[in-house]
Amino acid sequence: MGNTQTHQRPIGRRITPQRAQFRRLAESADIGTVTRAQLAVLAQSLTCTGLINGTESHLLVALINTVPADSFDRSGRPIVFKSNQQLAFEIGRSVGRVSRMLSSLFDAGLITMQDSGNYKRYPIRNGDGEITDGCGIDLRILIVRYAELDGLVRQVRAEKKAADAGLRRYRGALRNARSALSAAARLSEDSLNRIGARIERLSNIVGIASKASSRVLRRATALLEWLIERMMQLPRRSAEAQETQNMTCPYGENGMHKQITTPHPFDESNHERRSAKAGSASKWAFEESLGRGRSEINQPRRLPKAMVALQDVIRAVPALKTYGFAPSSWADLTRAVPLMCRFAGISEDARARAVEQMGEQQAAVAIAVTLEKYERQEVNSPGGYLRAMTDRAAAGELHLARSVFGLAARNSMEVRH
């Protein structure tokens, strides 16, 4: 006959390093600083944080209400000695379900447990009848973590409130933009079709508004409000004038630039564009035409020119503010590149080629310049424009600094006029 193996009955619940840490933390509780009512309200609110579900919250409230209120005083000991069977009867669940939920609460750091060898729960009293220890469900960990958990509940509620407000504002801005589009009588049919397509594309980018992040909703709302102002032909905001009135342009010929911006921002008439560009700026202010094909670029690759300051890029590209971007460092501008490409309709391949050829920082500037010119309706194909800039960078003929300072000069003159 083979050897008979005897399986010893496990004593108590499985102890993990995390559970052992929770037990140690519970021993440092300052009993008397939190009342039972406060803990009961907290237990009901924890479901919004995702730490526990509704049934676990019901069990936790039942445990808190089981302990007498004076157990949370200075000399008290908030330990529950009810059996799983009794708790299952009180909350209307099975004994096995209660056991599993107690383990979940233990793992979440909302209770600690000390089981005896025979799975009984009982108090240990001193000569005066006061409970000094016991095997049961200890609630002292809630006292220790009360401030942390209460702060988490408040944070989640504040984030939910802000998200709801952003959702309402976005939906209102989208409705107002479509209404303004139908009421705009001073714009040509081509301009109305172009703006309508941009509004619908923005709506498609956001997708299901209730599932979009607050950041995307804020940027989409800012863009929609800006489109409404453009359709209503409102003047530029005074804040933009304050940001650009002290801007200087070291590449300006004879210390000045001439305005070449069309006064018709949405009309694409050849006559209007020809007349607006009649007085062009200095050859040092802007890039040469980017319409050359790749076959014309046979020169060896050279290092890119020196970069401009981030503040100059922000002044030159007001579209960043329009789309809700507020970069405070080059890293912020680089992180915003994927979303800028989505707004401008630049493909992932075009962006990857620009980053590979120019580096992340200069590629971010090039994409920002492309976005600005797309906003000005000077570029019909932002992806093709960026590819042409990439090809010129490979040939060492791209002068981003001139583009940046030229755009900044134009913005400054538009604000002053």
Side-chain angles (χ1 to χ4, degrees), residues 43 76 101 103 120 128 156 176 193 203 243 248 273 282 304 311 391 401 407:
M101 286 193 295
S103 295
K120 301 296 183 180
D128 298 329
V156 170
N176 293 337
N193 293 336
S203 176
E243 292 176 357
T248 59
R273 288 192 175 273
S282 164
Q311 191 61 31
D391 291 338
L407 287 172

Side-chain angles (χ1 to χ4, degrees), residues 13 59 82-103 121:
R13 295 182 182 270
L59 175 59
K82 285 184 178 179
S83 64
N84 288 356
Q85 185 175 5
Q86 181 62 29
L87 292 172
F89 172 76
E90 293 181 0
I91 68 172
R93 294 293 186 271
S94 65
V95 176
R97 179 73 181 278
V98 168
S99 179
R100 291 191 296 272
M101 286 193 295
L102 288 175
S103 295
R121 294 174 182 154

Side-chain angles (χ1 to χ4, degrees), residues 356-372:
E356 180 182 0
Q357 185 64 43
M358 308 180 199
E360 290 187 352
Q361 186 170 322
Q362 285 207 7
V365 177
I367 291 171
V369 170
T370 304
L371 179 64
E372 175 64 20

